[in-house]
Amino acid sequence: MTEQLLRAADIVDRLEPQLKRDIDQLRAQHGKGPHLRILYFTDHSPSILFKNAQEKVARRLGITPGTQGCDWGHVTREEVKRVITQWNRDPAVHGIFVHQPLPPQLDAQEISTLIDPQKDVEGIHPQNSARRFFAKARIGSCTALAVMELIDEALRRSGGTLEGKEAVVVGHSEIVGRPVGMLLLDRLATTTVCHVATKALQQHVERADVLVVAVGQPELIKGAWIKPGAVVIDVGINVVGGKVVGDVEFEAARARAAFLTPVPGGVGPVTVMMVMKNTVEAFKLQQKG
Ligand code: NAD
C-alpha cells in the first residue's frame, strides 16, 4: 500500500489565507486586531522553539504577539499568577497561552483555572473543557483541533466519513488524548481511549481505522500493528540522538497506513495555526462583550 503523507504544510497553506482575510476584516471593523500573549520558559529549548514558531506565524497573520519568559528552574506560582492576572485584566490582550509541559513546581490544573476562559486560546480552562463535553466548545483544545484537521484532510482526499469508524486514541492527557476522544465521539466514531494501564495495546491498535497516538515514547506503536488502510496521526515529539521522532515506527507504518503524519512537519505546525484560530475566536468573543 502506498501511503499519503499528511503534511502540515498542506493544511497551513489552505488555512492561512482564510485566517488572514478574517483578521484583516476584524481590523477594518474594530480598528484593532487580535493580540496574543505567550508565557514560555527561557531555559527550556522546546519552549523557546515553540515560542519562536508561534511568534513567526502570528506576525505573518497580523496577530500581535507578546512574550514573557520565565526561568524553568526558579519560576514560582506567585510569579505566574501575577503575569496571568495582569494579562486577564488588560483589555488589549485577547489571547493567553502558557507553554506546557510546566516545570515541576507549577501545577497544570491550577494554572489552567487562572486564565480568563475567554482568553484561554489553548482551550484548557475547566469552563472550556466542560463545554467540550456537551459539544459546545467556543474555544477548543488547540492540539485536538489540529488532530481533527489532519483527519479531515485524509477524509477529504479519500472521500470517507468518521461515522461508525473504529477510532483508537493512545494517551489520555487533559490537553491531547481526552479532548481528541471527545471530538471523535462528537463525529460518531466508535472511540476507544488507551493509556498507561491498558492491557493488550497492540490488539486495540490493530483494529483502528483511525489511530491517534499522543504518549511521548519513541516508536511505542509498531508499524506491523497498523491496520492496512488506516489513518494514523502521530502527535508524539521525542528527541532521539539529536533527531525528532514520533511515537509511531514511521518507516514500517508507511507500508500499511493509507494516511500518515510525519514527525516533524505533521501535527506541530497545525497546532500553532489552531492557536491563532483560537486567538481570533477569543477576539470575536471579547468584542461581543
Ligand atoms: P502526557 O505525559 O500528559 O500523557 C501521556 C499519556 O500517555 C498518558 O495518558 C499516559 O497514560 C499514556 N501512556 C504512557 N505510557 C503509555 C504506554 N506504554 N501505553 C499507552 N499509553 C501510555 O503527554 P501529553 O502532554 O499528552 O503529550 C504526549 C506527546 O505529545 C508528547 O510527546 C508531547 O510532546 C506531544 N505533544 C505534541 C503536540 C503537538 O502539537 N505536536 C502538542 C502537545 C503534546
Side-chain angles (χ1 to χ4, degrees):
M1 178 159 314
T2 314
E3 103 296 0
Q4 294 192 43
L5 283 185
L6 291 170
R7 292 183 203 277
D10 297 334
I11 313 247
V12 168
D13 288 350
R14 180 167 49 77
L15 291 182
E16 191 166 318
Q18 293 168 12
L19 205 50
K20 195 164 178 348
R21 258 197 313 274
D22 210 6
I23 293 166
D24 289 345
Q25 270 176 14
L26 288 170
R27 196 179 295 283
Q29 194 181 342
H30 299 282
K32 61 182 178 190
H35 192 130
L36 169 68
R37 287 288 169 95
I38 301 159
L39 191 150
Y40 75 105
F41 300 99
T42 49
D43 43 357
H44 196 249
S45 48
S47 179
I48 295 169
L49 288 174
F50 190 37
K51 185 265 298 178
N52 290 344
Q54 287 179 311
E55 278 190 301
K56 197 168 140 196
V57 176
R59 288 211 177 88
R60 238 169 38 211
L61 287 166
I63 293 175
T64 318
T67 58
Q68 168 76 48
C70 290
D71 186 304
W72 175 275
H74 299 100
V75 65
T76 60
R77 65 181 286 282
E78 287 72 25
E79 190 183 344
V80 171
K81 193 173 172 180
R82 185 180 47 74
V83 172
I84 293 175
T85 308
Q86 198 188 332
W87 290 349
N88 283 343
R89 288 189 185 137
D90 185 347
V93 174
H94 307 102
I96 298 175
F97 191 102
V98 178
H99 278 199
Q100 294 208 34
L102 295 169
Q105 68 274 26
L106 299 178
D107 177 54
Q109 267 183 18
E110 186 195 4
I111 301 296
S112 71
T113 59
L114 292 177
I115 303 170
D116 177 343
Q118 287 211 345
K119 297 189 178 185
D120 161 37
V121 295
E122 202 179 1
I124 54 169
H125 187 283
Q127 266 188 36
N128 290 324
S129 312
R131 292 184 72 90
R132 187 158 52 240
F133 188 78
F134 297 107
K136 284 191 172 154
R138 293 170 306 192
I139 303 181
S141 150
C142 53
T143 310
L145 291 175
V147 167
M148 297 309 289
E149 280 289 342
L150 286 153
I151 293 172
D152 281 334
E153 174 70 19
L155 295 175
R156 253 192 302 277
R157 291 188 202 169
S158 65
T161 163
L162 264 179
E163 213 170 299
K165 292 269 162 45
E166 288 289 332
V168 174
V169 182
V170 188
H172 78 315
S173 72
E174 279 150 24
I175 62 164
V176 193
R178 292 181 205 208
V180 168
M182 290 278 196
L183 294 178
L184 288 165
L185 273 179
D186 291 345
R187 299 277 294 275
L188 298 182
T190 303
T191 304
T192 305
V193 180
C194 302
H195 44 71
V196 68
T198 297
K199 295 190 174 69
L201 179 64
Q202 177 177 348
Q203 283 171 28
H204 290 286
V205 171
E206 278 174 348
R207 58 179 174 70
D209 300 310
V210 174
L211 175 69
V212 180
V213 189
V215 173
Q217 283 181 29
E219 303 189 339
L220 170 75
I221 306 298
K222 305 301 166 210
W225 300 358
I226 307 288
K227 182 176 177 177
V231 175
V232 180
I233 311 293
D234 190 351
V235 186
I237 302 173
N238 311 285
V239 181
V240 178
K243 208 175 145 222
V244 177
V245 298
D247 289 346
V248 177
E249 210 183 23
F250 184 72
E251 287 305 330
R254 292 186 82 153
R256 297 173 72 87
F259 296 95
L260 174 66
T261 56
V263 180
V267 178
V270 184
T271 301
V272 174
M273 198 47 74
M274 292 300 116
V275 174
M276 304 306 150
K277 204 171 172 204
N278 278 349
T279 305
V280 171
E281 284 312 306
F283 179 87
K284 288 180 186 168
L285 276 175
Q286 287 156 56
Q287 302 316 304
K288 279 188 204 152

